[in-house]
Every structure is written in C-alpha cells, then in structure tokens.
Amino acid sequence: MVDNQKSQINTLNKRIKYLESELLQKESTSLSNDNNYHDTFDTMFLNHPSIMLLICPISFKIINANPAAHKFYGYKKEFFTTLKYHDLTHQTNEEIFNQFEPNSILNTNPNVHILSNGSTVHVEEYSSILYHHTNKKLFVVIHDVSEQKASLIKLRNSEENFHTVFDGTENAIFIKDKNLKILNVNKAAEKIFGYTHEEFLMDPEQILGDQEKNDYAMADKYVSDALNGVPQIFEWWGLRKGNISFQEEIVITKTIYNGDDVLVFSIQDISIQKNALIALTESEIKFKNIVENTDEIIYMIDHNGIITLSEGAGLKQMGLMPGQLVGQSAYNLYEEYPVVIEGIRKALSGEMVHLEVNLDGIYYESSFTPHKDLHGKTIGLIGMSINISEVKLAHLESEDYIRQLDESQLIAQIGSYHLNIKTGEWFGSEILYKIFGIDSRRDKDIQIWINILFEDDRENMVTYFQDLVENN
C-alpha cells in the first residue's frame, strides 16, 4: 500500500517536472518570438518608405519618427522627439484624443499637417494602438494626399467650369454616344429646339433635322470623321418642335464623357444672320444700282482724311473712274479749295455740313455727314455731291438779264420782263411791277404772268409761249 503510494508520488513528481520543463520551454520560445517581432517591427519602421510615427497615447508626445517622416516634415530626429503631435497640426489635444479613439483597432482620418517651412499639406492618418517593448504606444502611418486633393479640386473646378460653359453658352449643346443617342443637352438646346430636357432624354433618337432639305449621306461622313478625331463644322437645316425649319451651324467634336467616347454637337441658330446677310446683299445691290445710275457722287473719308469710298456715275464728268480716288488724301486733292477743306474738318469734328463749290468751272452742291461708330465716336464722314452746273449757270444767266433789264429801264423808262424757259421763272422791271400792281417780293412764274393779262389775250399769250418753247 505504502509502496504503491510512493510510486504514485514519484510518477506525479515526474509529471510536474515534465510540465515545468514544458512551461519553461514555451516561455523561452514566446520570449524569443516576442524579441523577433520587435526586431522585425523596428526594421520595418526604419526602412519603410511610408511616413511613420510612434506617439504616447496619453501626452501625444512624439516618441519616435522614421527617416521618411524626417524627410517629409523637414525636422531632424533629435528635434522631432521634442515635439507633440499637435505641433504638426492645428488641433488641440482633446481633438486629437477624440480623433484617434484609442480603443479602436484602426482609425482613418483626413487632416492637414504643417511642415517645418510653415507650408501645409493634406494627409490621411491611419492609427492603431500597439505594444512595443512592453509599452503601449500609438502607431500612426501618414499618407501625403496633397496631389490627390489638388487633382480632386482641379476635377471639381473642371466639372464646375464644364457646367458653367455647358449651360452658359447660347449655342445648343448635345452630348451623344457613338450611335447618336442623346445623353445630355443644355438649356440653350431646350430654348432653340423647343423641347424640355426630359423630352430630349425620353426620345433620345428623335429627328432634329429637316429631312427634305439636308444631305444625310454627307451627315454620315461628318459623324464618321468626327469619331476618328477630326472636328467637323458645317451648315444644316434644323427642325424645331412643331416641324419649324431653320438654318443652323453645327460643330462636332469627339471627347470623353463619364469615361466613354462621345460626340459633342454645338449648334448655333444662324437663321437671323442668314436673313440679315440676304437683306444686306439686297441692300448692297440696290445701293450699287442707285450709285451707278445717278449723277450723284458718293464717297467716304476716314478720320485721317483718307478717301475709303468713291462711287457714282457723276465721277465720269470729272474724268474719274469709280474707286479711282480710294486711298488718296482729301486734304491733298482739295488743298486749293479752302471751303472744301474746312467742310471736311467740320464734319470730322461731328458737324453736318452743306456747301456749294466751283471745281474748275463745274458747280457742285455737297453735304458731309459725320460717320460714327457704335459708341457715338466720329470715325469719318459720308459725303454726297451733285453737279448743279446747269441750274447754277441758268441762275447766273437770269441774274445777268436782270442786271441788263435794270439798266434798260433806266434808259427807256418802260416796263420789261425776262422769261427763263428752262426754270419757268420770269423777272420784270420795277416799272413793270408798278404798271401791273405786282409785289416784287412775290414768287413769279409763267402762270402768274398769264393771269395778269387781259382775259381775251391770255389764250394768244399761252400759244405764244408754247411756240417759243417748241422753237427753242
């Protein structure tokens, strides 16, 4: 019995020694593994290209920083370990404590850090609690995301600019896929074509062109070339809601939209310009016909006195061809005619000018109108001159006859008159006016002269005048 108990005790002691031996072996292995872990971590910490910090989770004092952190922040190792984490940010300790959540396995947080030169950078912080050499520490890995942030801002600005241009332009813009299905339209497209945005997208393949007026074989070529990267520009007949046809100019370019190749159709309503061009062409034709078939001379002079337009059949009487004087100085051409020079200067200063001038025996009646730009600034003049020599010479002749008449009445002491068949005017002597009781200031024409005759003689006098006209 006793021997049996001794045997059991010996067996138990052996078992205890075995277990103690196993425990010591496991403790030795665990310590070895722990040491291996710390060695591996330290190696990784020192050599990893990522920015890494070890921080006290209570005071947030920086315990260690790897070489990548020294390079990024611009601090030497000795100075780095004198800093606290809030020295790298604009945050308080309380904000940092709430940010890191020490009980969490892994925290991710965007932040802005301050470098040694005072500049700021956008970063993302990845943090967790670990036990390093028996001490609890906050392990923080920092990623510089400044370039990504700048790219995002640039992308956002680009998108804002796109939408500003997209909805701000007066041209209709259609974004279509390769099959010409409408993906998006701007507000100008709604205004020009009369459809709502929803109507465009509900029927994305609707016909917006006048099929009777357009060459759709050419349209296929335009689209094909645009898909190959060659921008296209051409005129087209569009179709508004209600089948209203109008002229438009289309520019097709290839681009990327939401990651896919698309075609952008920029459409300008040119119907107003086309109608204006037609009206302008018709106006120019009418103007040319008037100028070419009138005796007037029409010209333009710029603010420097240079002739920029010289047209009109009246130029032939001066021995000139239309356009012959263009480019010449009006001041040089009319330097011997001070009245013309003065008139040009007045018109260029903004005055309306009317004058009569004798150019080498030819009498012209001219008007100068200031030519102004959209802001009301005088930039030249528009002139028109007509040959009045025939009328002028007739008046001079009449005046000469009047002078002779006055001399005759003094000599003969009789009444007399002069009839100008060309102008229909007659002039009598003062004695004649007194004989018949006519006011010398009154307008005098043939009918007045007929009316003052005795009734029985009027018909004979009319016949007499008619014979004079026919024979002369």
Side-chain angles (χ1 to χ4, degrees):
M1 183 68 177
V2 174
D3 291 337
N4 187 30
Q5 289 177 344
K6 287 181 178 180
S7 176
Q8 289 179 354
I9 290 170
N10 288 332
T11 301
L12 185 58
N13 287 333
K14 288 180 181 180
R15 181 63 178 170
I16 290 171
K17 288 180 179 181
Y18 174 76
L19 292 174
E20 287 177 346
S21 175
E22 285 288 317
L23 182 59
L24 288 173
Q25 186 176 354
K26 285 183 178 180
E27 287 179 350
S28 176
T29 302
S30 176
L31 181 60
S32 175
N33 289 341
D34 190 45
N35 289 333
N36 289 336
Y37 162 74
H38 290 305
D39 290 342
T40 301
F41 178 84
D42 290 342
T43 300
M44 180 274 297
F45 185 81
L46 292 173
N47 296 298
H48 203 282
S50 295
I51 304 160
M52 297 181 179
L53 302 174
L54 288 175
I55 300 171
C56 173
I58 298 174
S59 66
F60 296 108
K61 184 180 183 300
I62 298 175
I63 299 171
N64 199 1
N66 72 344
H70 303 159
K71 181 178 179 181
F72 178 70
Y73 289 98
Y75 294 119
K76 293 183 178 180
K77 179 179 180 181
E78 296 76 13
F79 182 76
F80 222 130
T81 53
T82 66
L83 302 176
K84 289 189 175 182
Y85 194 72
H86 69 257
D87 293 323
L88 303 180
T89 72
H90 292 292
Q91 297 171 293
T92 64
N93 283 347
E94 183 179 358
E95 289 173 334
I96 294 172
F97 181 81
N98 294 331
Q99 166 188 313
F100 283 129
E101 298 181 16
N103 293 326
S104 175
I105 296 176
L106 179 64
N107 296 315
T108 304
N109 186 63
N111 208 339
V112 177
H113 281 202
I114 308 167
L115 306 182
S116 62
N117 61 10
S119 62
T120 58
V121 290
H122 289 273
V123 300
E124 283 185 354
E125 304 164 333
Y126 298 86
S127 63
S128 63
I129 294 294
L130 59 78
Y131 289 88
H132 183 251
H133 296 297
T134 71
N135 294 320
K136 187 177 180 181
K137 297 175 183 176
L138 184 62
F139 176 51
V140 182
V141 179
I142 297 168
H143 289 174
D144 180 5
V145 294
S146 297
E147 291 186 4
Q148 295 94 313
K149 189 75 173 180
S151 297
L152 287 173
I153 293 173
K154 186 176 180 180
L155 177 61
R156 189 180 300 112
N157 291 338
S158 176
E159 290 175 348
E160 290 176 356
N161 291 338
F162 169 78
H163 286 292
T164 298
V165 173
F166 189 68
D167 285 323
T169 180
E170 294 182 353
N171 292 351
I173 297 180
F174 290 78
I175 299 177
K176 299 184 179 183
D177 65 13
K178 295 180 180 179
N179 298 318
L180 303 185
K181 178 180 178 181
I182 299 173
L183 304 177
N184 200 359
V185 299
N186 68 345
K187 293 179 180 178
E190 300 175 35
K191 181 179 179 181
I192 291 175
F193 287 90
Y195 295 96
T196 65
H197 189 271
E198 291 71 21
E199 287 175 323
F200 276 122
L201 299 186
M202 284 174 60
D203 188 10
E205 297 179 356
Q206 60 182 292
I207 302 300
L208 298 174
D210 192 326
Q211 293 182 313
E212 294 181 0
K213 297 180 179 179
N214 293 322
D215 184 349
Y216 280 88
M218 283 301 300
D220 292 338
K221 182 179 185 305
Y222 295 142
V223 171
S224 176
D225 289 344
L227 286 171
N228 289 326
V230 182
Q232 302 294 303
I233 179 169
F234 55 94
E235 292 186 5
W236 198 248
W237 284 92
L239 203 62
R240 305 188 208 275
K241 191 174 185 179
N243 292 325
I244 301 172
S245 184
F246 69 100
Q247 286 180 282
E248 61 187 14
E249 182 182 80
I250 301 179
V251 178
I252 310 178
T253 53
K254 182 182 178 182
T255 188
I256 296 175
Y257 180 75
N258 291 337
D260 297 320
D261 288 340
V262 297
L263 293 178
V264 176
F265 288 69
S266 177
I267 300 174
Q268 181 184 9
D269 181 352
I270 59 172
S271 54
I272 295 177
Q273 294 94 312
K274 283 289 185 180
N275 292 335
L277 182 60
I278 292 172
L280 178 61
T281 302
E282 292 176 350
S283 176
E284 288 177 345
I285 292 173
K286 290 178 181 178
F287 174 77
K288 186 176 181 180
N289 288 336
I290 291 173
V291 168
E292 289 179 349
N293 294 284
T294 182
D295 289 334
E296 296 175 346
I297 302 171
I298 298 174
Y299 44 91
M300 295 179 70
I301 300 174
D302 68 15
H303 67 285
N304 292 317
I306 302 301
I307 298 172
T308 58
L309 175 72
S310 176
E311 298 289 342
L315 288 168
K316 293 180 181 178
Q317 298 173 355
M318 300 176 68
L320 298 170
M321 296 293 292
Q324 185 175 337
L325 297 179
V326 171
Q328 298 189 44
S329 170
Y331 296 129
N332 293 338
L333 286 173
Y334 300 105
E335 61 182 351
E336 296 181 2
Y337 302 93
V339 65
V340 177
I341 300 298
E342 182 183 1
I344 291 173
R345 285 175 175 158
K346 285 183 177 180
L348 292 179
S349 66
E351 295 184 38
M352 286 284 297
V353 177
H354 298 279
L355 56 87
E356 185 180 296
V357 62
N358 180 356
L359 300 179
D360 297 329
I362 302 176
Y363 289 89
Y364 289 94
E365 186 176 75
S366 301
S367 62
F368 300 155
T369 303
H371 181 207
K372 299 183 178 182
D373 62 15
L374 296 175
H375 304 289
K377 180 182 178 182
T378 301
I379 58 175
L381 68 82
I382 300 173
M384 183 172 67
S385 298
I386 185 169
N387 187 337
I388 60 168
S389 296
E390 185 175 352
V391 175
K392 184 67 177 178
L393 292 173
H395 278 291
L396 291 174
E397 185 179 357
S398 296
E399 291 174 356
D400 188 51
Y401 279 128
I402 291 173
R403 181 183 56 78
Q404 294 178 22
L405 183 63
D406 290 339
E407 292 175 354
S408 298
Q409 84 172 12
L410 291 174
I411 297 171
Q413 293 294 304
I414 59 174
S416 61
Y417 67 89
H418 166 71
L419 171 65
N420 189 318
I421 296 176
K422 293 180 180 179
T423 64
E425 295 177 304
W426 68 272
F427 304 94
S429 66
E430 289 296 329
I431 293 177
L432 185 68
Y433 295 150
K434 289 178 181 180
I435 292 173
F436 289 101
I438 300 173
D439 187 349
S440 63
R441 294 170 299 179
R442 183 177 176 183
D443 290 338
K444 295 168 280 294
D445 56 26
I446 294 177
Q447 189 59 47
I448 291 176
W449 173 238
I450 296 297
N451 291 340
I452 67 176
L453 296 177
F454 185 68
E455 213 173 300
D456 294 341
D457 295 327
R458 290 178 184 173
E459 185 176 346
N460 293 332
M461 186 58 68
V462 170
T463 301
Y464 171 71
F465 285 149
Q466 289 176 343
D467 290 340
L468 282 177
V469 172
E470 289 176 0
N471 295 329
N472 291 278

